[in-house]
Amino acid sequence: MASSTLYTLALALLAVNYILPVYGIRCPIVECWFVQEKPGRGGGFQAAMSQDKSLMYVRISPDSTGAESGQKPPAGIDPTRIYHVIDPSASLCSSSLYSPEGSVKKPQCEINPFLPQPSNVKWAAPLTRSGQSPIYLEAEWFSASLKGFDEHLALSTVMRTAKATNDLNVILSVSSTSALVRSRLGVPVVLNSLFWMESSSPLSELGFAVEWRYQFRGTGRLIVAYDAKSDRLAETSEEGAELDISALHQTGNASLLLEEAQVKHTGTYICTVYLPYLLAQVTIDLEIVEPPSISISPSPLPVSFPGQTLTVQCEASGFFPLSLEFQWEFVGADGTVQPLGEGGMSGHRQASDGTFSQSNWLTLDLGKLDLGRGGEVTCVAVHPGGTRRTSTTLNIIGVRGPSIEDSMAMVAVALGLYGLIKLCSWMFSTSGSIDNDSKEKKDK
Ligand SMILES: *[C@@H]1O[C@H](CO)[C@@H](O)[C@H](O)[C@H]1NC(C)=O
Ligand SMILES: *[C@@H]1O[C@H](CO)[C@@H](O)[C@H](O)[C@H]1NC(C)=O
């Protein structure tokens, strides 16, 4: 009893000592670009944009110590572009927004002025059906979108300031801990997305909606959409894609679950969360990467003679994307590896499931190559999804010692096949010991 109380106490102390300060420290100073249309130049085809350096000092609550404590704002940044952001969701405090020291890769951040407006999409329109805009909207609004330096975070927030100060409150935020997802074929895929809304905001009482869209090379379609106000899913033709509705309500988990990854799922997914008059969205790229299955033929290779020419084929199938290189290797009986080049590539074929297959041929001219008495011929297929290798055995008979017989002997070989086989089998069985004997002699 006493010990368990002590234990609890110790844990509590640990929590106080560790978690709280860490929480305070964890929120970074985020460097951003403040991007807006240049005022007074409307009407053009492309509005001119201005881009200014900006900073966000992030805190979790008004009381918590923020990132700015004890730090002077850097020179060269217009003080009106320095914001103090309170983000109770803490999504702006992700470790992905700190680039490791010395890293060239930086998190990306852009802030824009945001204009609240009713949404036209079917599943979000009911949120503003009453047509009344709350006074709450009459404030200055900004949106910020951020990408972690390591593709591990995509984040979008909508922020508000009532008093035309630079103190912003995050009202809505959507984030994904993986902006880039790579998956093999046939497995379930989670496209991760979490959203948070300020519960004290009058907008959050009016309901929310969530939508996932798919985009690839200029075409797009709706995957799934949910109107939480009327608890209704929009009708779509998409199969095998699901939202966990109860998780959506309980934890703001808006992750999209694809039951079984297929080639056709490759593309960009956009998760949009709507509050009345507000929206925030994150994009996630899904890449399907499936390495090939490979086979080599003939296997084993027919017993060969020096001077003969052989063709070996390597067939790779079921891979995606179309990015494959072949290499050939020969591994001799003594283990030495000899590269044999890249072979000749066939055209590719695409199966109905979208995966590719491709072949490669290697011509082995045993008259030119010194492959001893044979070994393993290996096909190596190099693909972004992984390297695959497979081998076939090559036996060369009629080789004396390490070098190929001279051409006169080759003529003799051609003349008498029966004699050759006799000779060869004799040599094959004894040549090993001859080698050892001669080596020993040399050594002495
Ligand atoms: C959100 O839901 C997905 C799919 O159900 C799950 O894999 C993920 O762990 C959940 N994320 C959180 C933070 O609960
Ligand atoms: C040749 O000698 C090595 C050791 O020196 C031995 O391992 C090998 O079995 C020998 N080979 C034959 C064919 O006798």
Side-chain angles (χ1 to χ4, degrees):
M1 269 300 191
S3 72
S4 76
T5 319
L6 264 180
Y7 183 67
T8 320
L9 250 178
L11 269 185
L13 277 176
L14 263 181
V16 167
N17 277 327
Y18 273 89
I19 300 165
L20 292 183
V22 164
Y23 243 61
I25 294 161
R26 271 276 160 101
C27 294
I29 302 171
V30 187
E31 287 176 45
C32 260
W33 289 104
F34 189 93
V35 180
Q36 65 181 340
E37 272 180 42
K38 273 192 184 147
R41 289 192 56 180
F45 272 104
Q46 249 180 335
M49 304 302 271
S50 72
Q51 186 167 294
D52 303 305
K53 273 195 176 170
S54 168
L55 277 187
M56 287 196 291
Y57 291 107
V58 184
R59 277 184 294 168
I60 289 173
S61 77
D63 316 319
S64 63
T65 43
E68 73 263 49
S69 40
Q71 292 200 32
K72 260 204 316 200
I77 296 184
D78 180 352
T80 63
R81 293 283 172 252
I82 296 178
Y83 296 97
H84 298 271
V85 180
I86 294 170
D87 178 14
S89 76
S91 56
L92 280 169
C93 304
S94 159
S95 60
S96 292
L97 295 176
Y98 295 90
S99 37
E101 223 155 288
S103 160
V104 229
K105 286 188 183 170
K106 286 248 156 113
Q108 300 164 25
C109 172
E110 183 178 317
I111 304 180
N112 313 99
F114 181 88
L115 186 67
Q117 51 191 313
S119 170
N120 291 327
V121 298
K122 246 192 276 171
W123 35 95
L127 300 176
T128 48
R129 190 142 287 160
S130 72
Q132 289 192 341
S133 312
I135 300 165
Y136 179 78
L137 292 176
E138 287 161 18
E140 258 192 276
W141 293 83
F142 299 93
S143 67
S145 53
L146 297 96
K147 272 228 156 113
F149 67 92
D150 52 2
E151 305 276 8
H152 281 159
L153 179 76
L155 171 63
S156 169
T157 66
V158 177
M159 301 172 292
R160 173 183 186 268
T161 173
K163 292 166 253 142
T165 64
N166 282 13
D167 296 326
L168 308 183
N169 290 291
V170 172
I171 306 302
L172 172 64
S173 123
V174 186
S175 66
S176 174
T177 49
S178 40
L180 175 63
V181 177
R182 287 197 182 88
S183 171
R184 290 193 58 171
L185 286 176
V187 295
V189 181
V190 176
L191 300 177
N192 171 287
S193 173
L194 274 179
F195 76 95
W196 177 91
M197 52 193 171
E198 175 57 63
S199 54
S200 68
S201 152
L203 300 180
S204 63
E205 294 157 18
L206 302 174
F208 67 91
V210 173
E211 166 200 299
W212 279 92
R213 294 189 68 80
Y214 166 84
Q215 239 163 8
F216 186 63
R217 294 190 180 149
T219 63
R221 63 170 190 274
L222 179 70
I223 304 277
V224 57
Y226 175 71
D227 166 11
K229 191 181 179 188
S230 50
D231 188 24
R232 202 175 297 160
L233 277 165
E235 279 192 22
T236 69
S237 52
E238 194 72 19
E239 277 173 20
E242 271 182 24
L243 274 181
D244 182 341
I245 303 295
S246 65
L248 200 61
H249 283 278
Q250 281 161 18
T251 59
N253 189 340
S255 300
L256 181 70
L257 188 72
L258 301 175
E259 274 165 19
E260 194 188 337
Q262 295 173 38
V263 168
K264 65 170 190 187
H265 290 134
T266 306
T268 300
Y269 292 77
I270 304 162
C271 175
T272 309
V273 176
Y274 298 88
L275 281 186
Y277 307 96
L278 308 181
L279 67 86
Q281 58 185 202
V282 289
T283 58
I284 300 172
D285 286 316
L286 174 60
E287 287 180 11
I288 302 295
V289 182
E290 180 70 20
S293 309
I294 64 171
S295 63
I296 197 167
S297 64
S299 184
L301 287 160
V303 174
S304 311
F305 309 102
Q308 206 175 338
T309 299
L310 289 169
T311 302
V312 196
Q313 186 186 349
C314 188
E315 164 96 24
S317 60
F319 62 92
F320 191 87
L322 182 59
S323 165
L324 189 65
E325 276 172 34
F326 286 94
Q327 284 152 19
W328 292 87
E329 281 170 3
F330 173 77
V331 184
D334 57 355
T336 54
V337 179
Q338 186 177 336
L340 296 174
E342 294 176 356
M345 198 77 134
S346 77
H348 63 268
R349 296 175 303 281
Q350 191 165 23
S352 57
D353 68 357
T355 61
F356 294 103
S357 54
Q358 201 163 19
S359 303
N360 187 286
W361 285 274
L362 176 73
T363 305
L364 277 178
D365 185 346
L366 301 184
K368 289 191 186 138
L369 287 164
D370 177 6
L371 303 183
R373 281 183 298 281
E376 296 285 309
V377 176
T378 303
C379 164
V380 183
V382 181
H383 187 267
T387 297
R388 298 288 182 266
R389 39 176 72 227
T390 182
S391 302
T392 181
T393 304
L394 172 66
N395 277 312
I396 305 174
I397 55 173
V399 183
R400 182 167 49 202
S403 67
I404 297 171
E405 294 187 43
D406 63 30
S407 51
M408 286 308 289
M410 293 304 293
V411 173
V413 164
L415 287 177
L417 190 61
Y418 179 70
L420 172 95
I421 290 167
K422 276 266 173 194
L423 183 73
C424 289
S425 55
W426 173 76
M427 284 214 261
F428 194 60
S429 58
T430 57
S431 58
S433 53
I434 290 171
D435 265 275
N436 270 10
D437 286 346
S438 56
K439 261 187 207 152
E440 271 164 32
K441 271 173 206 155
K442 266 186 220 156
D443 288 343
K444 280 168 194 168

